[in-house]
Amino acid sequence: MRYAKKCIVTGAAGFIGSALARLLLKETDAQVLAIDKLTYAGVPESLKEAGLDPATLESSNPRLQFIKADICDLERMDAAFASFKPDAVFHLAAESHVDRSIDGPGEFVRTNVSGTASLLQAALGYWRSIPGAAERASFRFQHVSTDEVYGSLGAEGLFTEKTPYSPHSPYSATKAASDHLVRAWHDTYGLPVLVTNCSNNYGPYHFPEKLIPLAIINALEGKPLPVYGTGANVRDWLYVEDHARALLLVNEKGVPGETYNIGGRNERTNLEVVGAVCATLDEMKPRAGGAKYRDLVEFVADRPGHDLRYAIDPSKIRDELGWRPREDFGSGMRKTVRWYLDNEWWWRPIREKRYSGRRLGAAAPIRAETPDPRR
Ligand code: NAD
Ligand code: DAU
């Protein structure tokens, strides 16, 4: 591909950020500056195949550099922009797990809202310093957001770019705030921004707190597969590499100031999703004695404020930019399960040292973390 920009990717040690960095390095001539704080969710091993040494954070790939830094640290962000001189920023760094936002919203407000604001400040300062008008005009700040900002659908309808915002969880509320900040920097200061709102991703290198990787690993260990409530909530699933390709396309062809919804029209109930994981595992790694993985499903207390249904209308990105996903849910699920079967080296240390699979976000014990408005 002729794409040869200098790209900052924030959150590049995360699930989607690492998929985007791998794509940029494999299929384009881009140079990548990966910026990541390496929170519990930051896994430098996800960039190993791109040339990063996870122990030293040094890269053997001359087109990849890694900086361990917090996006809230404006001085470090200013320095990164000044030395790297990016043509594009893909902003993916965030606290991303809804259940953790129920247990402790503070870090979500800090990173997703304040962090996005400080990154925008650094980008604006740098953008204003670009000497050439053509280079200034082609600069892009691309904000990677979620369909959860639109709230919940009933049985009918799809989220379009015009759907009013109605976030319900602390996570989605902070992502909504960050989307508004990004648009404000465009409307007020003229920063050339792009916003994308995507549906649920799945695929390789997905942190095993999220439904699909948690179900795969629990199943492999013969542990219960927790399904919240009745399992009737619907999500719209997209294979992560299709999302990464969409982000690249929006970066190349999207119109500054515009929003693009991304989704593959793969609606499934959570019970269907867990059923698909089980059926794929039954085929690829049958249980002993003819038992079925589905027997491990356990219905547990629902998520507080659980949105019923998400579903994206992707007409705009399809009709205006020509994007089409390559995977459907069946092919994506097969690739995903195969990857977890073949890559225990990646998930086993996470499971043992970072997150063992315990239930998160079941209640709302947030007193200690919630700012007291009387103080
Ligand atoms: P993730 O949790 O896997 O990765 C987030 C990364 O951000 C981690 O590597 C973490 O270390 C890093 N990070 C967190 N706080 C940081 C900070 N203060 N400074 C620097 N780095 C920090 O998340 P993901 O699933 O890859 O999601 C990436 C982005 O895409 C998020 O903005 C999320 O809201 C959005 N998104 C995710 C999905 C999905 O299904 N996963 C769908 C739509 C949009
Ligand atoms: O829609 C996009 C969003 O998708 C992203 O913005 C988020 O960053 C990403 O985490 C994801 O949010 P969800 O809350 O939809 O994903 P999660 O995998 O946590 O849950 C998917 C569904 O499965 C949801 O309805 C809750 C349910 N669930 C989840 C877990 C972890 C279960 O039933 N059991 C579980 O153990």
Side-chain angles (χ1 to χ4, degrees):
M1 202 188 278
R2 290 219 315 273
Y3 185 95
K5 290 185 178 177
K6 294 177 79 174
C7 303
I8 287 181
V9 179
T10 72
F15 168 47
I16 304 170
S18 69
L20 177 64
R22 290 191 303 271
L23 177 73
L24 286 167
L25 292 165
K26 200 167 163 196
E27 296 190 14
T28 79
D29 296 321
Q31 291 178 53
V32 175
L33 174 61
I35 299 182
D36 200 295
K37 183 183 172 186
L38 297 183
T39 66
Y40 81 93
V43 187
E45 284 77 5
S46 305
L47 292 172
K48 204 172 164 188
E49 64 177 270
L52 189 74
D53 179 336
T56 62
L57 302 180
E58 295 294 326
S59 169
S60 60
N61 184 335
R63 293 198 288 120
L64 172 67
Q65 295 172 58
F66 189 96
I67 300 181
K68 182 179 174 190
D70 187 334
I71 56 165
C72 298
D73 185 339
L74 185 53
E75 258 178 50
R76 293 208 61 198
M77 293 305 110
D78 279 339
F81 276 84
S83 65
F84 186 67
K85 302 190 187 336
D87 307 304
V89 178
F90 292 90
H91 175 36
L92 294 96
E95 288 294 333
S96 71
H97 193 36
V98 173
D99 289 334
R100 286 185 197 262
S101 83
I102 294 167
D103 290 337
E107 207 50 34
F108 287 71
V109 175
R110 203 185 81 86
T111 284
N112 300 1
V113 185
S114 304
T116 298
S118 69
L119 196 69
L120 282 164
Q121 269 312 80
L124 180 63
Y126 167 73
W127 177 68
R128 284 178 166 164
S129 77
I130 298 174
E135 286 76 17
R136 247 193 335 274
S138 64
F139 179 86
R140 296 288 180 269
F141 183 102
Q142 188 163 339
H143 179 57
V144 178
S145 192
T146 170
D147 59 358
E148 298 200 11
V149 298
Y150 298 124
S152 184
L153 292 164
E156 302 290 324
L158 300 172
F159 295 135
T160 74
E161 289 79 0
K162 294 195 166 51
T163 302
Y165 275 33
S166 179
H168 297 133
S169 71
Y171 162 70
S172 55
T174 60
K175 289 299 290 188
S178 66
D179 293 8
H180 291 316
L181 286 172
V182 172
R183 292 196 187 99
W185 258 247
H186 173 264
D187 297 350
T188 308
Y189 308 113
L191 187 69
V193 308
L194 295 155
V195 177
T196 56
N197 295 87
C198 188
S199 62
N200 283 62
N201 285 217
Y202 68 106
Y205 301 102
H206 202 183
F207 197 86
E209 63 192 350
K210 309 283 168 43
L211 176 65
I212 290 180
L214 181 74
I216 295 171
I217 295 173
N218 277 13
L220 289 174
E221 294 183 346
K223 296 195 171 133
L225 313 181
V227 172
Y228 297 172
T230 62
N233 300 65
V234 173
R235 297 292 182 264
D236 184 358
W237 294 92
L238 184 68
Y239 192 64
V240 65
E241 289 171 15
D242 282 322
H243 186 190
R245 284 179 204 287
L247 294 176
L248 192 48
L249 185 66
V250 170
N251 198 265
E252 284 184 287
K253 297 193 177 157
V255 177
E258 290 289 313
T259 293
Y260 298 88
N261 279 357
I262 307 172
R265 302 302 310 267
N266 286 304
E267 286 183 55
R268 296 287 185 283
T269 66
N270 292 337
L271 199 53
E272 285 170 338
V273 169
V274 174
V277 167
C278 292
T280 312
L281 278 171
D282 282 336
E283 184 194 318
M284 293 185 180
K285 196 173 170 44
R287 290 180 81 190
K292 295 290 176 200
Y293 285 101
R294 210 185 166 100
D295 300 338
L296 297 170
V297 168
E298 189 174 290
F299 292 94
V300 298
D302 209 351
R303 171 185 280 175
H306 198 175
D307 286 336
L308 177 66
R309 176 173 164 255
Y310 304 143
I312 284 276
D313 177 354
S315 321
K316 181 174 173 181
I317 189 170
R318 185 192 61 212
D319 298 345
E320 294 184 11
L321 307 187
W323 177 76
R324 301 270 185 292
R326 294 185 180 180
E327 306 296 338
D328 61 25
F329 191 65
S331 65
M333 179 59 76
R334 291 182 66 77
K335 285 190 171 185
T336 303
V337 171
R338 187 74 262 158
W339 189 86
Y340 279 89
L341 287 172
D342 293 344
N343 289 281
E344 191 169 336
W345 71 271
W346 182 86
W347 57 261
R348 176 66 63 197
I350 294 175
R351 185 88 166 172
E352 285 173 358
K353 295 188 196 129
R354 297 191 192 201
Y355 174 62
S356 63
R358 75 183 168 83
R359 175 71 197 266
L360 301 167
I366 58 167
R367 266 188 110 98
E369 274 238 23
T370 308
D372 183 342
R374 293 163 303 183
R375 278 195 218 137

